[in-house]
Amino acid sequence: MSALHIKKGASKHSAYNLRPTFSDVDERHTLAVLVENEPGVLARVIGLFAGRGYNIESLTVAEVDHTGHLSRITIVTTGTPQVIEQIKAQLGRIVPVHEVHDLTVEGVAVERELAILKVVGEDEKRVEALRLADIFRANVVDSTLGSFVFEITGAPDKIDAFADLMRPLGLVEIARTGVAALLRGM
C-alpha cells in the first residue's frame, strides 16, 4: 500500500482544509465610537487598548450631541483583521458605548487633521517656508522676525509631507489634533 503524498492544506476543496483563514498583516483602521458623555468613559475605552497591548495612532474626542449627552471618539489603530474585530467586539461590550463603526470597512471615509507647526529660520529659509506653505495651503497664524507658526488642515499624509519639508527649514515644534473622520455620502 502506497502512502498518499498530499501537502497539508493543499486544496481549498479538501474536507480537511488545514490552511489558516486568518491574516498576519497589520492594517490601519479608523473606528468611530459613539458613547455617553460622562466621566470615566474615555478612561474605560483607553483602558481596553492599554490592557490588551493595542496601539492607538490617533485619538479624537468631542461632544457631538448636547441634548443627548453623546460624544464621538475617533480612534485610528493598527492590527491584524482578527485583532480589529476583537477591538470592535470589546468596545461594543462597554456599557456606555452606543455604537461602534469601522469607517475603513463601511465605506469611503473623509479623514482630516489639524496641525500647528513652528518654524524658526532666517533669510532664504523664511522665504522657502512661506513658498511651501502656499503650495500646501497652510496659513500663517503667527509671525515674528525669527519664526512662523503655520496652521495646516488635511489628510494625515499631507501633514506628514509638510512637516518633512519643514524640518530642514527649521521646524522646532509641532502639535496635531488627531484624525476626525466621517463616511462619505448617505
Side-chain angles (χ1 to χ4, degrees), residues 5-143:
H5 297 289
I6 299 175
K7 293 182 182 175
K8 184 176 180 181
S11 169
K12 65 180 180 180
H13 303 292
S14 168
Y16 302 102
N17 184 9
L18 302 175
R19 286 189 282 174
T21 58
F22 55 86
S23 171
D24 60 349
V25 178
D26 281 351
E27 300 173 348
R28 179 182 177 272
H29 283 255
T30 303
L31 306 176
V33 185
L34 196 62
V35 300
E36 289 287 331
N37 186 15
E38 59 186 41
V41 174
L42 180 60
R44 292 177 67 190
V45 169
I46 301 311
L48 180 144
F49 281 80
R52 289 161 180 81
Y54 304 143
N55 187 39
I56 295 175
E57 290 184 10
S58 173
L59 176 71
T60 308
V61 184
E63 187 175 45
V64 293
D65 183 2
H66 298 295
T67 57
H69 301 290
L70 297 176
S71 289
R72 181 183 175 106
I73 303 173
T74 305
I75 303 168
V76 178
T77 188
T78 56
T80 64
Q82 295 74 29
V83 167
I84 300 298
E85 287 303 317
Q86 186 177 21
I87 289 170
K88 292 188 300 188
Q90 291 169 348
L91 282 171
R93 284 195 286 271
I94 298 174
V95 172
V97 171
H98 289 265
E99 298 174 10
V100 177
H101 295 280
D102 187 346
L103 302 181
T104 307
V105 174
E106 292 181 15
V108 179
V110 177
E111 293 185 358
R112 291 295 180 262
E113 187 174 2
L114 169 72
I116 301 172
L117 301 92
K118 184 187 290 184
V119 179
V120 176
E122 295 178 356
D123 302 326
E124 66 277 347
K125 286 189 176 183
R126 286 177 63 85
V127 173
E128 182 65 12
L130 285 172
R131 188 182 72 75
L132 287 171
D134 187 47
I135 292 170
F136 278 84
R137 294 189 179 116
N139 299 317
V140 177
V141 292
D142 185 54
S143 177

